[in-house]
Amino acid sequence: MDPFLVLLHSVSASLSSSELTDLKFLCHRRVGKRKLERVQSGLDLFSVLLEQNDLEPGRTELLRELLTSLRRHDLLRRLDDFEAGAAGGAAPGEEDLNAVFDIICDNVGKDWKRLARQLKISDTKMDGIEERYPRNLRERVRESLRIWKNVEKEDATVARLVGALRACRMNLVADLVEETQQARGLQNQSGAMSPMSWDSDTSALEVP
């Protein structure tokens, strides 16, 4: 089972009716009125937020804000446990991809739609992103990258992002991504040499 869905199910089962009412009120600017009217449980609300990409395993800020508003410290501890487990079990390349997201968000501004279209994100989804982040270009870029990653799954790679950037003629950003990746690779290689290997190298140089 998906650990994140298990977490959401657990949180939903622990909510009182008054707490659900509070959550619906807190989400009224994120979720349309008609959708909120159909929400009868925490799972209903979480399902809507999942569909809108407001909730996902690597993006739990909203859930934390909601639980903090309810002052449900017991549920916040469950969230802490989930995040600790997710960090320990991060898939290979996940850390690299997150670092690249930060670079792209810092360097792609008003041209974010050009990149989003190159990543096959629909105009409807882009309209939704603009509605959620009317004054924050950086978050628009990050949201479009998250949607792309969720759709592509294992095919969401740094190489494909670099290719998309170059296709959009965002070569300076692509160069920055590649340079950063090369630096990270060198850093990982240097960190891979253990103290044991240093000891063996040193002993080999010693004169008998």
Coordinates of all heavy atoms in Angstrom, one line a residue, residues 75-153:
L75 N -1.6 14.0 15.3 CA -1.5 13.8 13.9 C -0.3 14.4 13.2 O 0.3 13.8 12.3 CB -2.8 14.3 13.2 CG -4.1 13.7 13.7 CD1 -5.3 14.4 13.0 CD2 -4.1 12.2 13.6
L76 N 0.2 15.4 13.8 CA 1.5 16.0 13.3 C 2.6 15.1 13.5 O 3.5 15.0 12.7 CB 1.7 17.4 14.0 CG 0.9 18.5 13.5 CD1 1.0 19.7 14.4 CD2 1.3 18.9 12.1
R77 N 2.6 14.3 14.7 CA 3.7 13.3 14.9 C 3.6 12.2 13.9 O 4.6 11.7 13.4 CB 3.5 12.8 16.3 CG 4.1 13.7 17.4 CD 4.2 13.0 18.7 NE 2.9 12.7 19.3 CZ 2.2 13.5 20.1 NH1 2.6 14.7 20.4 NH2 1.1 13.1 20.6
R78 N 2.4 11.8 13.5 CA 2.3 10.8 12.4 C 2.9 11.3 11.1 O 3.5 10.6 10.4 CB 0.8 10.4 12.2 CG 0.1 9.7 13.3 CD -1.3 9.3 13.0 NE -2.1 9.1 14.2 CZ -3.4 8.8 14.2 NH1 -4.0 8.7 13.0 NH2 -4.0 8.6 15.3
L79 N 2.6 12.6 10.8 CA 3.2 13.2 9.6 C 4.7 13.2 9.7 O 5.4 13.0 8.7 CB 2.6 14.6 9.4 CG 3.2 15.4 8.2 CD1 3.0 14.7 6.9 CD2 2.5 16.8 8.2
D80 N 5.2 13.6 10.9 CA 6.7 13.6 11.1 C 7.3 12.2 10.8 O 8.3 12.1 10.2 CB 7.0 14.0 12.5 CG 6.7 15.5 12.8 OD1 6.7 16.2 11.8 OD2 6.6 15.9 13.9
D81 N 6.6 11.2 11.3 CA 7.1 9.8 11.1 C 7.1 9.4 9.6 O 8.0 8.8 9.1 CB 6.2 8.8 11.9 CG 6.4 8.9 13.4 OD1 7.4 9.5 13.8 OD2 5.5 8.5 14.2
F82 N 6.0 9.8 8.9 CA 5.9 9.6 7.5 C 7.1 10.2 6.8 O 7.8 9.6 5.9 CB 4.6 10.0 6.9 CG 4.6 10.1 5.4 CD1 4.5 8.9 4.6 CD2 4.8 11.3 4.7 CE1 4.5 9.0 3.3 CE2 4.9 11.4 3.4 CZ 4.7 10.2 2.6
E83 N 7.3 11.5 7.1 CA 8.4 12.3 6.4 C 9.7 11.7 6.7 O 10.6 11.7 5.8 CB 8.3 13.8 6.8 CG 7.1 14.5 6.2 CD 7.0 15.9 6.6 OE1 7.7 16.3 7.6 OE2 6.3 16.7 6.0
A84 N 10.0 11.3 7.9 CA 11.3 10.7 8.2 C 11.5 9.4 7.4 O 12.6 9.1 6.9 CB 11.3 10.4 9.7
G85 N 10.4 8.6 7.3 CA 10.5 7.3 6.5 C 10.7 7.6 5.0 O 11.5 6.9 4.4
A86 N 10.0 8.6 4.5 CA 10.1 9.0 3.1 C 11.5 9.5 2.8 O 12.1 9.1 1.7 CB 9.1 10.0 2.7
A87 N 12.1 10.2 3.7 CA 13.5 10.8 3.4 C 14.5 9.6 3.4 O 15.4 9.6 2.7 CB 13.8 11.8 4.5
G88 N 14.3 8.6 4.3 CA 15.2 7.5 4.4 C 15.1 6.6 3.2 O 16.1 5.9 2.9
G89 N 13.9 6.6 2.6 CA 13.7 5.7 1.5 C 13.6 6.4 0.1 O 12.9 5.9 -0.8
A90 N 14.2 7.5 0.0 CA 14.1 8.3 -1.3 C 14.7 7.4 -2.4 O 15.7 6.8 -2.3 CB 14.9 9.6 -1.1
A91 N 14.0 7.5 -3.5 CA 14.5 6.7 -4.7 C 15.8 7.3 -5.3 O 16.0 8.5 -5.1 CB 13.4 6.8 -5.8
P92 N 16.6 6.5 -5.9 CA 17.8 7.0 -6.5 C 17.5 8.1 -7.6 O 16.6 7.9 -8.4 CB 18.4 5.8 -7.2 CG 17.8 4.6 -6.5 CD 16.4 5.0 -6.1
G93 N 18.2 9.2 -7.5 CA 18.0 10.3 -8.4 C 17.0 11.3 -7.9 O 16.8 12.4 -8.5
E94 N 16.2 11.0 -6.9 CA 15.2 11.9 -6.3 C 15.8 13.2 -5.8 O 15.3 14.3 -6.0 CB 14.4 11.2 -5.2 CG 13.3 12.0 -4.6 CD 12.0 11.9 -5.5 OE1 12.0 11.0 -6.3 OE2 11.1 12.7 -5.2
E95 N 16.9 13.0 -5.1 CA 17.6 14.2 -4.5 C 18.1 15.1 -5.6 O 18.0 16.3 -5.6 CB 18.8 13.7 -3.6 CG 19.4 14.8 -2.8 CD 20.5 14.3 -1.9 OE1 20.5 13.1 -1.6 OE2 21.3 15.2 -1.5
D96 N 18.7 14.5 -6.7 CA 19.2 15.2 -7.8 C 18.0 16.0 -8.5 O 18.2 17.2 -8.8 CB 19.8 14.3 -8.9 CG 21.2 13.8 -8.4 OD1 21.8 14.4 -7.5 OD2 21.7 12.8 -9.0
L97 N 16.9 15.4 -8.7 CA 15.8 16.0 -9.3 C 15.2 17.2 -8.5 O 14.9 18.2 -9.1 CB 14.7 15.0 -9.5 CG 13.6 15.2 -10.6 CD1 14.3 15.4 -12.0 CD2 12.6 14.1 -10.7
N98 N 15.2 17.0 -7.2 CA 14.7 18.1 -6.3 C 15.7 19.3 -6.4 O 15.2 20.4 -6.4 CB 14.6 17.6 -4.9 CG 13.4 16.7 -4.7 OD1 12.5 16.7 -5.5 ND2 13.5 15.8 -3.7
A99 N 17.0 19.0 -6.5 CA 18.0 20.1 -6.6 C 17.8 20.8 -7.9 O 17.9 22.1 -8.0 CB 19.4 19.5 -6.4
V100 N 17.5 20.1 -9.0 CA 17.3 20.7 -10.3 C 16.0 21.6 -10.3 O 16.0 22.6 -10.9 CB 17.2 19.6 -11.4 CG1 16.8 20.2 -12.7 CG2 18.6 19.0 -11.5
F101 N 15.0 21.1 -9.6 CA 13.8 21.8 -9.5 C 14.1 23.2 -8.9 O 13.5 24.2 -9.3 CB 12.7 21.1 -8.6 CG 12.0 20.0 -9.3 CD1 12.4 19.6 -10.6 CD2 10.9 19.4 -8.7 CE1 11.7 18.6 -11.2 CE2 10.2 18.4 -9.4 CZ 10.6 18.0 -10.6
D102 N 14.9 23.2 -7.8 CA 15.2 24.5 -7.2 C 15.9 25.5 -8.1 O 15.6 26.7 -8.2 CB 16.1 24.3 -6.0 CG 15.4 23.6 -4.8 OD1 14.1 23.7 -4.8 OD2 16.0 23.0 -4.0
I103 N 16.8 24.9 -8.9 CA 17.5 25.8 -9.9 C 16.6 26.3 -11.0 O 16.6 27.5 -11.3 CB 18.6 24.9 -10.6 CG1 19.7 24.5 -9.6 CG2 19.3 25.7 -11.8 CD1 20.7 23.5 -10.1
I104 N 15.7 25.5 -11.5 CA 14.8 25.9 -12.5 C 13.8 27.0 -11.9 O 13.5 28.0 -12.6 CB 14.0 24.7 -13.1 CG1 15.0 23.8 -13.8 CG2 12.9 25.2 -14.0 CD1 14.4 22.5 -14.4
C105 N 13.3 26.7 -10.7 CA 12.4 27.7 -10.1 C 13.1 29.1 -9.9 O 12.4 30.1 -9.9 CB 11.9 27.1 -8.7 SG 10.8 25.8 -8.9
D106 N 14.4 29.0 -9.6 CA 15.1 30.3 -9.3 C 15.4 31.1 -10.6 O 15.6 32.3 -10.6 CB 16.4 30.0 -8.6 CG 16.2 29.6 -7.1 OD1 15.1 29.9 -6.6 OD2 17.1 29.0 -6.6
N107 N 15.4 30.4 -11.7 CA 15.9 31.0 -13.0 C 14.9 31.1 -14.1 O 15.2 31.7 -15.1 CB 17.1 30.2 -13.5 CG 18.3 30.4 -12.5 OD1 19.0 31.4 -12.6 ND2 18.5 29.5 -11.6
V108 N 13.7 30.4 -14.0 CA 12.7 30.5 -15.0 C 11.5 31.3 -14.4 O 10.9 30.9 -13.5 CB 12.2 29.1 -15.4 CG1 11.0 29.3 -16.4 CG2 13.3 28.4 -16.1
G109 N 11.3 32.5 -15.0 CA 10.2 33.4 -14.4 C 9.0 33.5 -15.3 O 8.2 32.5 -15.4
K110 N 8.9 34.6 -16.0 CA 7.7 34.8 -16.8 C 7.5 33.9 -18.0 O 6.4 33.8 -18.6 CB 7.7 36.2 -17.3 CG 8.8 36.6 -18.2 CD 8.8 38.1 -18.6 CE 9.9 38.4 -19.6 NZ 9.9 39.8 -20.0
D111 N 8.6 33.2 -18.4 CA 8.5 32.2 -19.5 C 8.1 30.8 -19.0 O 8.3 29.8 -19.8 CB 9.9 32.1 -20.2 CG 10.2 33.5 -20.9 OD1 9.2 34.1 -21.4 OD2 11.4 33.8 -21.0
W112 N 7.6 30.7 -17.8 CA 7.3 29.3 -17.3 C 6.3 28.5 -18.2 O 6.4 27.3 -18.2 CB 6.8 29.5 -15.9 CG 5.4 30.0 -15.8 CD1 5.0 31.3 -15.8 CD2 4.2 29.3 -15.6 NE1 3.6 31.4 -15.7 CE2 3.1 30.2 -15.6 CE3 3.8 27.9 -15.6 CZ2 1.8 29.8 -15.5 CZ3 2.5 27.5 -15.5 CH2 1.5 28.5 -15.4
K113 N 5.4 29.2 -18.8 CA 4.4 28.5 -19.7 C 5.1 27.8 -20.9 O 4.7 26.8 -21.3 CB 3.3 29.4 -20.1 CG 2.3 29.7 -19.1 CD 1.1 30.5 -19.7 CE 0.0 30.6 -18.7 NZ -1.2 31.3 -19.3
R114 N 6.1 28.5 -21.4 CA 6.8 27.9 -22.5 C 7.5 26.5 -22.1 O 7.4 25.5 -22.8 CB 7.9 28.8 -23.0 CG 8.5 28.4 -24.3 CD 9.4 29.4 -25.0 NE 9.8 30.6 -24.3 CZ 11.1 31.0 -24.3 NH1 12.0 30.4 -25.0 NH2 11.4 32.1 -23.6
L115 N 8.1 26.5 -20.9 CA 8.6 25.3 -20.4 C 7.5 24.3 -20.1 O 7.7 23.1 -20.4 CB 9.5 25.5 -19.2 CG 10.1 24.3 -18.5 CD1 11.0 23.6 -19.4 CD2 10.8 24.7 -17.2
A116 N 6.4 24.7 -19.5 CA 5.3 23.8 -19.1 C 4.8 23.1 -20.4 O 4.5 21.9 -20.4 CB 4.3 24.6 -18.4
R117 N 4.6 23.9 -21.5 CA 4.1 23.3 -22.7 C 5.1 22.3 -23.3 O 4.6 21.2 -23.8 CB 3.8 24.4 -23.7 CG 2.6 25.3 -23.4 CD 2.2 26.1 -24.6 NE 1.1 27.0 -24.2 CZ 1.1 28.2 -23.8 NH1 2.3 28.8 -23.7 NH2 0.1 28.9 -23.5
Q118 N 6.3 22.5 -23.1 CA 7.4 21.6 -23.6 C 7.3 20.3 -22.8 O 7.6 19.2 -23.3 CB 8.8 22.2 -23.5 CG 9.9 21.4 -24.1 CD 9.7 21.3 -25.6 OE1 9.3 22.2 -26.3 NE2 10.1 20.1 -26.2
L119 N 6.9 20.4 -21.5 CA 6.7 19.3 -20.7 C 5.4 18.6 -20.8 O 5.0 17.8 -20.0 CB 7.0 19.7 -19.2 CG 8.4 20.2 -18.9 CD1 8.5 20.7 -17.5 CD2 9.4 19.1 -19.1
K120 N 4.6 19.0 -21.8 CA 3.3 18.5 -22.1 C 2.2 18.7 -21.0 O 1.3 17.9 -20.8 CB 3.4 16.9 -22.4 CG 4.4 16.6 -23.5 CD 3.9 17.0 -24.8 CE 4.8 16.4 -26.0 NZ 6.2 16.8 -25.9
I121 N 2.3 19.8 -20.4 CA 1.3 20.2 -19.4 C 0.2 21.0 -20.1 O 0.5 21.9 -20.8 CB 1.9 21.0 -18.3 CG1 2.9 20.2 -17.5 CG2 0.8 21.6 -17.3 CD1 3.7 20.9 -16.4
S122 N -1.0 20.6 -19.9 CA -2.2 21.2 -20.6 C -2.4 22.6 -20.2 O -2.1 23.0 -19.1 CB -3.4 20.3 -20.4 OG -3.9 20.5 -19.1
D123 N -3.1 23.3 -21.1 CA -3.5 24.7 -20.8 C -4.5 24.8 -19.6 O -4.4 25.7 -18.8 CB -4.2 25.4 -22.1 CG -3.2 25.6 -23.2 OD1 -2.0 25.7 -22.9 OD2 -3.6 25.8 -24.3
T124 N -5.3 23.8 -19.5 CA -6.2 23.7 -18.4 C -5.5 23.7 -17.1 O -5.8 24.4 -16.1 CB -7.2 22.5 -18.5 OG1 -7.9 22.6 -19.7 CG2 -8.1 22.5 -17.3
K125 N -4.5 22.8 -17.0 CA -3.7 22.7 -15.8 C -2.9 24.0 -15.5 O -2.8 24.4 -14.4 CB -2.7 21.5 -15.9 CG -3.4 20.2 -15.7 CD -2.4 19.0 -15.5 CE -3.1 17.7 -15.3 NZ -3.9 17.7 -14.0
M126 N -2.4 24.6 -16.6 CA -1.7 25.9 -16.4 C -2.6 27.0 -15.9 O -2.2 27.8 -15.0 CB -1.0 26.3 -17.7 CG 0.2 25.5 -18.0 SD 1.2 26.2 -19.4 CE 0.3 25.5 -20.8
D127 N -3.9 27.0 -16.4 CA -4.8 27.9 -15.9 C -5.1 27.7 -14.4 O -5.2 28.7 -13.6 CB -6.2 27.8 -16.6 CG -6.1 28.3 -18.1 OD1 -5.1 29.0 -18.4 OD2 -6.9 27.9 -18.9
G128 N -5.2 26.4 -14.0 CA -5.3 26.1 -12.6 C -4.2 26.6 -11.7 O -4.3 27.1 -10.6
I129 N -3.0 26.4 -12.3 CA -1.8 26.9 -11.5 C -1.8 28.4 -11.3 O -1.5 28.9 -10.3 CB -0.5 26.4 -12.3 CG1 -0.3 24.9 -12.3 CG2 0.8 27.1 -11.7 CD1 0.8 24.4 -13.2
E130 N -2.2 29.1 -12.4 CA -2.3 30.6 -12.3 C -3.3 31.0 -11.3 O -3.1 32.0 -10.5 CB -2.6 31.2 -13.6 CG -1.4 31.2 -14.6 CD -1.7 32.0 -15.9 OE1 -2.8 31.6 -16.5 OE2 -1.0 32.9 -16.2
E131 N -4.4 30.3 -11.2 CA -5.4 30.6 -10.2 C -4.9 30.4 -8.8 O -5.2 31.2 -7.9 CB -6.7 29.8 -10.4 CG -7.5 30.2 -11.7 CD -8.7 29.3 -11.9 OE1 -9.0 28.5 -11.0 OE2 -9.3 29.3 -13.0
R132 N -4.1 29.3 -8.6 CA -3.7 29.1 -7.2 C -2.5 30.0 -6.8 O -2.3 30.3 -5.6 CB -3.2 27.6 -7.1 CG -4.4 26.6 -7.0 CD -4.0 25.3 -6.5 NE -3.1 24.6 -7.4 CZ -3.5 23.9 -8.5 NH1 -4.8 23.8 -8.8 NH2 -2.7 23.2 -9.2
Y133 N -1.7 30.4 -7.8 CA -0.6 31.3 -7.5 C -0.6 32.5 -8.4 O 0.3 32.7 -9.3 CB 0.7 30.5 -7.7 CG 0.8 29.2 -6.9 CD1 0.6 28.0 -7.5 CD2 1.0 29.2 -5.5 CE1 0.6 26.8 -6.8 CE2 1.1 28.0 -4.8 CZ 0.9 26.8 -5.5 OH 0.9 25.6 -4.8
P134 N -1.5 33.4 -8.1 CA -1.7 34.6 -9.0 C -0.5 35.5 -8.9 O -0.3 36.3 -9.9 CB -3.0 35.2 -8.5 CG -3.1 34.8 -7.1 CD -2.5 33.4 -7.0
R135 N 0.3 35.5 -7.8 CA 1.3 36.5 -7.7 C 2.7 35.9 -7.4 O 3.6 36.6 -7.0 CB 1.0 37.5 -6.5 CG -0.2 38.3 -6.7 CD -0.5 39.2 -5.5 NE -1.7 40.0 -5.7 CZ -2.9 39.5 -5.3 NH1 -3.0 38.3 -4.7 NH2 -4.0 40.3 -5.5
N136 N 2.8 34.6 -7.6 CA 4.1 33.9 -7.3 C 4.5 33.1 -8.5 O 4.1 31.9 -8.7 CB 3.8 33.0 -6.1 CG 5.1 32.5 -5.5 OD1 6.1 32.3 -6.2 ND2 5.2 32.4 -4.2
L137 N 5.4 33.7 -9.3 CA 5.9 33.0 -10.5 C 6.7 31.7 -10.1 O 6.7 30.7 -10.8 CB 6.8 33.9 -11.3 CG 6.1 34.9 -12.2 CD1 7.1 35.9 -12.8 CD2 5.3 34.2 -13.3
R138 N 7.5 31.8 -9.0 CA 8.3 30.7 -8.6 C 7.5 29.5 -8.3 O 7.8 28.4 -8.7 CB 9.2 31.1 -7.4 CG 10.3 30.2 -7.1 CD 11.1 30.7 -5.9 NE 12.4 29.9 -5.8 CZ 12.5 28.7 -5.2 NH1 11.4 28.1 -4.7 NH2 13.7 28.1 -5.1
E139 N 6.4 29.7 -7.6 CA 5.5 28.5 -7.3 C 4.8 28.0 -8.5 O 4.5 26.8 -8.6 CB 4.5 29.0 -6.2 CG 5.1 28.9 -4.8 CD 5.7 27.6 -4.4 OE1 5.0 26.6 -4.6 OE2 6.8 27.6 -3.9
R140 N 4.6 28.9 -9.5 CA 4.0 28.4 -10.8 C 4.9 27.4 -11.4 O 4.5 26.3 -11.9 CB 3.7 29.5 -11.7 CG 2.5 30.4 -11.3 CD 2.3 31.5 -12.3 NE 1.5 32.6 -11.8 CZ 1.1 33.7 -12.5 NH1 1.6 33.8 -13.7 NH2 0.4 34.6 -11.9
V141 N 6.2 27.8 -11.5 CA 7.2 26.9 -12.1 C 7.3 25.6 -11.3 O 7.3 24.5 -11.9 CB 8.6 27.6 -12.1 CG1 9.6 26.6 -12.7 CG2 8.5 28.9 -12.8
R142 N 7.3 25.7 -10.0 CA 7.5 24.5 -9.2 C 6.3 23.5 -9.3 O 6.4 22.3 -9.4 CB 7.7 24.8 -7.7 CG 8.0 23.6 -6.8 CD 8.3 24.0 -5.4 NE 9.6 24.8 -5.3 CZ 10.8 24.2 -5.3 NH1 10.9 22.9 -5.4 NH2 11.9 24.9 -5.3
E143 N 5.1 24.1 -9.4 CA 3.9 23.3 -9.5 C 3.8 22.6 -10.9 O 3.5 21.4 -10.9 CB 2.6 24.2 -9.4 CG 1.3 23.5 -9.4 CD 1.1 22.6 -8.2 OE1 1.9 22.7 -7.2 OE2 0.2 21.7 -8.2
S144 N 4.3 23.3 -11.9 CA 4.3 22.7 -13.2 C 5.3 21.5 -13.3 O 5.0 20.5 -13.9 CB 4.6 23.7 -14.3 OG 5.9 24.3 -14.1
L145 N 6.4 21.7 -12.6 CA 7.4 20.6 -12.5 C 6.9 19.4 -11.7 O 7.1 18.3 -12.0 CB 8.7 21.1 -11.9 CG 9.5 22.1 -12.7 CD1 10.7 22.7 -11.9 CD2 10.0 21.5 -14.0
R146 N 6.1 19.7 -10.6 CA 5.6 18.6 -9.8 C 4.5 17.8 -10.6 O 4.5 16.6 -10.6 CB 4.8 19.2 -8.6 CG 5.8 19.7 -7.5 CD 5.0 20.1 -6.3 NE 5.8 20.7 -5.3 CZ 5.7 21.9 -4.8 NH1 4.8 22.7 -5.3 NH2 6.5 22.4 -3.9
I147 N 3.7 18.5 -11.4 CA 2.7 17.8 -12.2 C 3.4 16.9 -13.3 O 3.1 15.8 -13.5 CB 1.8 18.9 -12.9 CG1 0.9 19.6 -11.9 CG2 0.9 18.2 -14.0 CD1 0.1 20.7 -12.5
W148 N 4.5 17.5 -13.9 CA 5.2 16.7 -14.9 C 5.8 15.5 -14.2 O 5.8 14.4 -14.8 CB 6.3 17.6 -15.4 CG 7.4 16.9 -16.2 CD1 7.3 16.4 -17.5 CD2 8.7 16.5 -15.8 NE1 8.4 15.8 -17.9 CE2 9.3 15.8 -16.9 CE3 9.4 16.7 -14.6 CZ2 10.6 15.3 -16.8 CZ3 10.7 16.2 -14.5 CH2 11.3 15.5 -15.6
K149 N 6.4 15.6 -13.0 CA 7.0 14.5 -12.3 C 6.0 13.4 -12.0 O 6.2 12.2 -12.1 CB 7.7 15.0 -11.1 CG 8.4 13.9 -10.2 CD 8.9 14.5 -9.0 CE 9.4 13.5 -8.0 NZ 9.8 14.0 -6.7
N150 N 4.8 13.8 -11.5 CA 3.8 12.9 -11.2 C 3.3 12.1 -12.4 O 2.9 10.9 -12.3 CB 2.6 13.6 -10.5 CG 2.9 14.1 -9.1 OD1 3.8 13.6 -8.5 ND2 2.1 15.0 -8.6
V151 N 3.2 12.8 -13.5 CA 2.8 12.1 -14.8 C 3.8 11.1 -15.3 O 3.6 10.0 -15.7 CB 2.4 13.1 -15.8 CG1 2.1 12.5 -17.2 CG2 1.1 13.9 -15.4
E152 N 5.1 11.6 -15.4 CA 6.1 10.8 -16.0 C 6.7 9.7 -15.1 O 7.2 8.8 -15.6 CB 7.3 11.8 -16.4 CG 6.9 12.8 -17.4 CD 6.6 12.2 -18.7 OE1 7.2 11.1 -19.1 OE2 5.7 12.7 -19.4
K153 N 6.6 9.9 -13.8 CA 7.1 8.9 -12.8 C 8.5 8.6 -13.0 O 9.4 9.4 -12.9 CB 6.2 7.7 -12.8 CG 4.7 8.0 -12.5 CD 3.9 6.7 -12.3 CE 2.4 7.0 -12.2 NZ 2.1 8.1 -11.3

